Amino acid sequence: MTVDSGTGNMNGAVKASVRGQEGHGGLWESVKKAAFIIGSGLLLLAAFGNSLTWHLQRFWGASGDFWQNLWTKLYLKFEGHDAALFFLGTMLLPTLAFWVSNGLLLLVDMTGKPSFITRYRIQVDKNNPVDPAKLRHALQTVLFNQVFISGPMVVGIYYLMTWRGNPCGPELPTFHWGLMELAMCGIVEEIMFYYSHRLFHHPALYKHFHKQHHEWTAPIGVVSIYAHPLEHVLSNMLPAVMGPVLLGSHLATTSLWYCLALVSTTVSHCGYHLPLLPSPEFHDYHHLKFNQCYGVLGVLDRLHGTDAKFRQTKQYQRHIMLTSLTPLNESIPETPKKVQ
């Protein structure tokens, strides 16, 4: 009995050790994946930005730095009206980015055309087409959040950022420093969004606030900011705005970050796994199952084990960038159910 007990304890210890190694390995893999995504994005942005600047300079025959000259002209036009410049830069451009991307998606959601895009729908039996009454209600809430929540918050953020310096200064940040700030903003958003989002899933808060967002178990792009006003402030806005506030970012970087954040959350909610775009499988699964995949990059989910069920699914296998024209629900189909 003693030998059997010792063997059992030893086997248990070995299994626990293996599980621990798998957990650490899984976390490390998640960290490496996030670093790869961020690093690749920064490299692409750097290459694209430098190339675009060079071509624009040649096209217009501009001398010196094209973007700096463009900013200087804008800065002089708004001289003495920095608050107005900041408001337009952080509301007008991001709002345009949001509605242009969502306008294209809404055409597909409402009409089912072009039909080849519907082949990439993640939850193939949902929103085909989207419920018009449900959509109208969502649009009303989104517009309310943008006008009456985001707008006033941006005004307050301007005065908060002026304590750190002038966010509308005459000189733009260097291109590479801007990229570094974008990466830091992404990290801040991941931390703040994960914990605030998970907090709103607490039963005491969920039924009063976050349940509204989860009315869409199969999300579409525009519902990315379909939320209760309190949730919109604490879980949508704060994680996005705190990076530029902490870093004392220039308006140019702040505006670009807001645009990226809004387009990113649109893609995460769009319901289509389209070629060459970031995979929305992670957050789509969250809407489907509620208690998995709370973050953006997935690092904190791996750390806290809140993606364990997700990693056992076909959705996890499809959670990659699609580089072909074949939809992933065709190349990685669901396992056929066994006939009883």
Side-chain angles (χ1 to χ4, degrees):
M1 291 295 293
T2 304
V3 173
D4 291 344
S5 178
T7 302
N9 291 338
M10 184 169 64
N11 288 338
V14 170
K15 290 179 181 178
S17 175
V18 170
R19 284 196 298 268
Q21 290 174 1
E22 289 176 349
H24 289 306
L27 175 60
W28 176 238
E29 287 300 317
S30 185
V31 171
K32 288 196 294 184
K33 183 178 180 180
F36 175 78
I37 292 172
I38 295 174
S40 300
L42 293 179
L43 287 174
L44 287 172
L45 280 172
F48 177 74
N50 290 335
S51 175
L52 180 63
T53 301
W54 184 79
H55 285 295
L56 285 173
Q57 285 177 336
R58 288 199 53 169
F59 183 77
W60 273 287
S63 59
D65 183 75
F66 172 80
W67 295 111
Q68 180 60 58
N69 289 341
L70 190 65
W71 169 252
T72 299
K73 292 177 182 177
L74 186 63
Y75 176 78
L76 291 175
K77 285 185 178 180
F78 280 86
E79 191 171 12
H81 302 281
D82 288 356
L85 178 59
F86 185 89
F87 183 82
L88 289 174
T90 53
M91 279 299 293
L92 180 61
L93 291 178
T95 299
L96 282 174
F98 178 84
W99 284 109
V100 167
S101 56
N102 275 289
L104 296 173
L105 289 167
L106 282 171
L107 285 175
V108 183
D109 293 328
M110 292 187 296
T111 67
K113 297 178 181 180
S115 58
F116 76 88
I117 292 182
T118 62
R119 295 177 58 218
Y120 298 96
R121 186 178 282 119
I122 297 172
Q123 299 186 44
V124 294
D125 57 336
K126 304 289 180 64
N127 297 325
N128 190 24
V130 68
D131 182 345
K134 192 177 179 182
L135 177 60
R136 280 195 298 272
H137 176 65
L139 290 173
Q140 290 170 1
T141 303
V142 167
L143 288 170
F144 176 87
N145 284 339
Q146 286 185 319
V147 175
F148 296 104
I149 306 296
S150 298
M153 280 191 71
V154 164
V155 174
I157 288 164
Y158 168 73
Y159 291 105
L160 184 62
M161 292 184 72
T162 55
W163 293 351
R164 294 285 307 275
N166 184 6
C168 301
E171 290 189 12
L172 291 176
T174 64
F175 191 77
H176 295 90
W177 177 249
L179 292 178
M180 182 63 69
E181 286 193 315
L182 292 177
M184 293 300 297
C185 287
I187 294 171
V188 171
E189 182 190 37
E190 168 73 2
I191 294 170
M192 293 189 67
F193 179 75
Y194 177 88
Y195 291 111
S196 62
H197 184 194
R198 195 168 175 185
L199 178 65
F200 273 106
H201 273 266
H202 187 280
L205 298 177
Y206 180 84
K207 62 182 179 180
H208 297 296
F209 304 108
H210 193 48
K211 186 177 181 179
Q212 178 178 348
H213 184 67
H214 274 282
E215 291 170 5
W216 291 78
T217 54
I220 61 174
V222 75
V223 305
S224 54
I225 53 176
Y226 171 69
H228 186 280
L230 182 64
E231 180 188 350
H232 185 61
V233 170
L234 298 180
S235 198
N236 289 344
M237 289 292 292
L238 280 181
V241 305
M242 282 308 295
V245 169
L246 293 173
L247 295 168
S249 299
H250 191 277
L251 171 59
T253 309
T254 303
S255 181
L256 178 58
W257 163 245
Y258 287 177
C259 290
L260 291 174
L262 283 169
V263 171
S264 174
T265 192
T266 294
V267 172
S268 294
H269 286 84
C270 73
Y272 301 97
H273 195 148
L274 298 169
L276 303 180
L277 288 180
S279 168
E281 300 281 353
F282 187 80
H283 196 73
D284 195 276
Y285 189 79
H286 172 75
H287 275 260
L288 183 65
K289 298 297 183 181
F290 296 89
N291 61 354
Q292 291 280 293
C293 308
Y294 295 100
V296 179
L297 300 174
V299 176
L300 290 175
D301 283 283
R302 184 62 63 89
L303 177 64
H304 292 290
T306 49
D307 65 346
K309 293 179 181 178
F310 172 67
R311 287 186 283 116
Q312 298 172 3
T313 65
K314 290 290 184 179
Q315 287 92 331
Y316 176 70
Q317 296 178 33
R318 300 178 191 131
H319 188 43
I320 55 176
M321 179 179 285
L322 177 58
T323 55
S324 73
L325 295 179
T326 303
L328 284 168
N329 56 20
E330 295 179 11
S331 58
I332 308 177
E334 293 292 332
T335 304
K337 295 181 179 180
K338 293 181 180 180
V339 179
Q340 297 293 333

